[in-house]
Short mmCIF file of all heavy atoms in Angstrom, two decimals:
data_model
loop_
_atom_site.label_atom_id
_atom_site.label_comp_id
_atom_site.label_asym_id
_atom_site.label_seq_id
_atom_site.Cartn_x
_atom_site.Cartn_y
_atom_site.Cartn_z
N VAL A 269 29.53 -13.20 -10.19
CA VAL A 269 29.99 -14.48 -9.95
C VAL A 269 28.98 -15.42 -10.51
O VAL A 269 29.26 -16.42 -11.14
CB VAL A 269 30.20 -14.60 -8.43
CG1 VAL A 269 30.47 -16.14 -8.12
CG2 VAL A 269 31.44 -13.93 -7.97
N ILE A 270 27.77 -15.25 -10.23
CA ILE A 270 26.63 -16.23 -10.68
C ILE A 270 26.62 -16.08 -12.11
O ILE A 270 26.48 -17.35 -12.76
CB ILE A 270 25.25 -15.72 -10.15
CG1 ILE A 270 25.29 -15.83 -8.53
CG2 ILE A 270 24.13 -16.55 -10.71
CD1 ILE A 270 24.08 -15.23 -7.91
N LYS A 271 26.81 -15.07 -12.75
CA LYS A 271 26.73 -15.01 -14.26
C LYS A 271 27.84 -15.80 -14.79
O LYS A 271 27.71 -16.63 -15.73
CB LYS A 271 26.72 -13.56 -14.76
CG LYS A 271 26.80 -13.42 -16.29
CD LYS A 271 25.60 -14.00 -16.85
CE LYS A 271 25.72 -13.95 -18.27
NZ LYS A 271 24.88 -15.06 -18.98
N LEU A 272 29.08 -15.65 -14.34
CA LEU A 272 30.20 -16.35 -14.87
C LEU A 272 30.12 -17.84 -14.54
O LEU A 272 30.56 -18.69 -15.40
CB LEU A 272 31.48 -15.85 -14.30
CG LEU A 272 31.91 -14.38 -14.75
CD1 LEU A 272 33.10 -13.82 -13.97
CD2 LEU A 272 32.02 -14.29 -16.23
N VAL A 273 29.62 -18.25 -13.34
CA VAL A 273 29.44 -19.63 -13.06
C VAL A 273 28.35 -20.27 -14.09
O VAL A 273 28.57 -21.30 -14.50
CB VAL A 273 28.88 -19.88 -11.61
CG1 VAL A 273 28.41 -21.36 -11.36
CG2 VAL A 273 29.92 -19.45 -10.66
N LEU A 274 27.41 -19.49 -14.44
CA LEU A 274 26.43 -20.09 -15.43
C LEU A 274 27.09 -20.39 -16.75
O LEU A 274 26.78 -21.44 -17.38
CB LEU A 274 25.30 -19.07 -15.63
CG LEU A 274 24.20 -18.99 -14.62
CD1 LEU A 274 23.21 -17.90 -14.98
CD2 LEU A 274 23.55 -20.31 -14.50
N ILE A 275 28.08 -19.47 -17.21
CA ILE A 275 28.67 -19.67 -18.40
C ILE A 275 29.56 -21.00 -18.48
O ILE A 275 29.55 -21.85 -19.31
CB ILE A 275 29.59 -18.51 -18.77
CG1 ILE A 275 28.78 -17.25 -18.98
CG2 ILE A 275 30.42 -18.80 -20.02
CD1 ILE A 275 29.44 -16.05 -19.33
N ILE A 276 30.32 -21.13 -17.18
CA ILE A 276 31.23 -22.20 -17.04
C ILE A 276 30.31 -23.49 -16.99
O ILE A 276 30.68 -24.61 -17.58
CB ILE A 276 31.99 -22.15 -15.76
CG1 ILE A 276 33.02 -20.90 -15.82
CG2 ILE A 276 32.63 -23.42 -15.36
CD1 ILE A 276 33.72 -20.59 -14.55
N ASP A 277 29.13 -23.48 -16.42
CA ASP A 277 28.32 -24.64 -16.36
C ASP A 277 27.78 -25.14 -17.66
O ASP A 277 27.44 -26.23 -17.89
CB ASP A 277 27.12 -24.29 -15.33
CG ASP A 277 26.33 -25.64 -15.07
OD1 ASP A 277 26.86 -26.59 -14.51
OD2 ASP A 277 25.09 -25.53 -15.35
N ASP A 278 27.73 -24.14 -18.56
CA ASP A 278 27.10 -24.38 -19.91
C ASP A 278 28.29 -24.80 -20.92
O ASP A 278 27.91 -25.03 -22.08
CB ASP A 278 26.36 -23.20 -20.39
CG ASP A 278 25.08 -22.95 -19.62
OD1 ASP A 278 24.63 -23.92 -18.92
OD2 ASP A 278 24.57 -21.88 -19.73
N VAL A 279 29.48 -24.79 -20.50
CA VAL A 279 30.64 -25.03 -21.54
C VAL A 279 30.49 -26.56 -21.79
O VAL A 279 30.48 -27.43 -21.03
CB VAL A 279 32.00 -24.65 -20.88
CG1 VAL A 279 33.10 -25.24 -21.76
CG2 VAL A 279 32.04 -23.16 -20.77
N PHE A 280 30.65 -26.83 -23.07
CA PHE A 280 30.71 -28.20 -23.48
C PHE A 280 31.99 -28.32 -24.32
O PHE A 280 32.44 -27.34 -25.03
CB PHE A 280 29.52 -28.66 -24.53
CG PHE A 280 28.19 -28.91 -23.80
CD1 PHE A 280 27.38 -27.76 -23.60
CD2 PHE A 280 27.94 -30.02 -23.17
CE1 PHE A 280 26.09 -27.92 -22.95
CE2 PHE A 280 26.76 -30.20 -22.50
CZ PHE A 280 25.92 -29.17 -22.40
N GLY A 281 32.62 -29.53 -24.40
CA GLY A 281 33.84 -29.69 -25.16
C GLY A 281 34.35 -31.03 -25.07
O GLY A 281 33.83 -31.82 -24.33
N SER A 282 35.40 -31.32 -25.85
CA SER A 282 36.11 -32.61 -25.76
C SER A 282 36.80 -32.69 -24.40
O SER A 282 37.06 -31.74 -23.64
CB SER A 282 37.05 -32.68 -26.90
OG SER A 282 38.20 -31.78 -26.81
#
Side-chain angles (χ1 to χ4, degrees):
V269 170
I270 296 172
K271 178 58 187 153
L272 295 176
V273 168
L274 280 176
I275 295 175
I276 294 174
D277 188 56
D278 292 339
V279 169
F280 289 94
S282 66

